[in-house]
């Protein structure tokens, strides 16, 4: 009797994050970055580490950009980015400020 083992290839590698850039002005900011593979993305942001606001996109891309509007001028905001690939692997940046 011959047994043939079947192996399923499973992606367990989270997406890599490229450099994160922030361009801000009086009441808005653009946060942009790249990923090493197509991924959905979101930016969590707010006045504290609890964030409180989120912008997201389910589109699978390697180049990501979010325009945050309605911000309070001359105020420090905390943010982090999170990306998820098609296999459900997620990467999150550390907390950053602008």
């Amino acid at each position: 009797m011959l047994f043939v083992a079947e192996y399923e290839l499973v992606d367990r590698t989270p997406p890599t994050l490229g450099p994160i850039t922030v361009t801000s002005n009086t009441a808005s900011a653009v946060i942009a970055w790249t990923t090493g593979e197509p991924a959905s993305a979101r930016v969590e942001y707010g006045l504290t580490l609890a964030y409180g606001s989120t912008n997201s996109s389910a589109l699978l891309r390697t180049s990501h950009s979010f325009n945050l509007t309605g911000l309070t001028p001359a105020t420090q905001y905390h943010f982090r980015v999170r990306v998820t690939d098609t296999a459900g692997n997620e990467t999150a940046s550390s907390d950053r400020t602008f």
Side-chain angles (χ1 to χ4, degrees), residues 1-78:
M1 187 179 271
L2 176 65
F3 291 98
V4 177
E6 290 187 36
Y7 294 95
E8 183 179 332
L9 296 177
V10 178
D11 176 5
R12 291 193 173 97
T13 305
T16 57
L17 289 175
I20 299 169
T21 62
V22 178
T23 306
S24 62
N25 62 34
T26 305
S28 67
V30 175
I31 299 174
W33 70 95
T34 59
T35 51
E37 64 181 291
S40 60
R42 72 179 180 262
V43 175
E44 300 168 330
Y45 64 99
L47 300 178
T48 68
L49 290 172
Y51 306 111
S53 296
T54 302
N55 277 7
S56 63
S57 172
L59 296 176
L60 298 174
R61 299 178 178 194
T62 57
S63 180
H64 308 273
S65 178
F66 288 91
N67 186 17
L68 311 180
T69 60
L71 305 176
T72 303
T75 302
Q76 178 175 280
Y77 281 82
H78 290 263

